[in-house]
Amino acid sequence: MPAALAADTETGEPTAAQPELPRESLTIVSGSSRHVFSVELAKTPRQQQVGEMFRTHIPDDRGMLFLWVYPQESNMWMENTLVPLDIVFIGRDHKIQAIEENAVPLSLAHISSHGPVTATLELAGGVTRKLGISVGDEVESPSLANRH
């Protein structure tokens, strides 16, 4: 089986990047600025487990949105993740509840939302600081529109 497919179909530890997931547009409203990203949608437990593992580059205008079935505390980690990420926790009100900037590649430390969130967004490391994105900014996307 090709390595790229192994991570998508096996149930054990991921060994390769997963194929690109379906995408949608996501906008972060920060003051008078609107920052638009093309994000992959990680909806299934396996897609969420693999996330952005083994990828060697995340463009500044891309990311991955983890959609939780119900609001929950989100605990992320950087195992097998080769590039730094900004991890953005999105509350029920679609506002940014917390941001972990430049999460350390390959770290096994858990990064917590410190409270229930409806989604978690991963962006390239340093993007939130560069664009001035901060806690309280509003997040707009079709997938978040029906979540509370």
Side-chain angles (χ1 to χ4, degrees):
M1 176 183 326
L5 294 178
D8 192 47
T9 57
E10 70 183 50
T11 57
E13 285 300 310
T15 57
Q18 64 185 325
E20 187 170 305
L21 302 173
R23 292 186 167 278
E24 73 180 24
S25 181
L26 178 142
T27 302
I28 298 176
V29 181
S30 183
S32 61
S33 298
R34 295 178 64 82
H35 307 288
V36 179
F37 300 90
S38 176
V39 297
E40 292 178 64
L41 301 175
K43 295 180 179 180
T44 70
R46 184 60 176 182
Q47 291 169 343
Q48 293 167 351
Q49 177 193 13
V50 178
E52 297 191 278
M53 287 181 177
F54 301 104
R55 295 188 179 180
T56 57
H57 178 71
I58 309 294
D60 284 357
D61 64 345
R62 300 260 180 131
M64 186 173 285
L65 183 64
F66 295 74
L67 297 161
W68 310 125
V69 174
Y70 55 88
Q72 65 185 43
E73 182 142 342
S74 174
N75 286 296
M76 308 298 282
W77 63 89
M78 297 290 287
E79 182 178 14
N80 298 320
T81 305
L82 307 177
V83 294
L85 298 173
D86 286 355
I87 301 176
V88 179
F89 298 102
I90 303 166
R92 293 176 216 179
D93 58 0
H94 305 167
K95 294 187 185 295
I96 296 175
Q97 183 171 303
I99 300 172
E100 177 73 24
E101 292 182 2
N102 283 304
V104 177
L106 305 173
S107 172
L108 300 179
H110 281 225
I111 301 163
S112 175
S113 61
H114 301 290
V117 293
T118 193
T120 302
L121 173 65
E122 292 181 342
L123 299 171
V127 165
T128 56
R129 180 178 298 265
K130 182 165 65 172
L131 297 177
I133 293 169
S134 60
V135 170
D137 288 352
E138 186 156 354
V139 182
E140 301 171 348
S141 82
S143 291
L144 291 175
N146 298 322
R147 292 176 179 264
H148 301 289

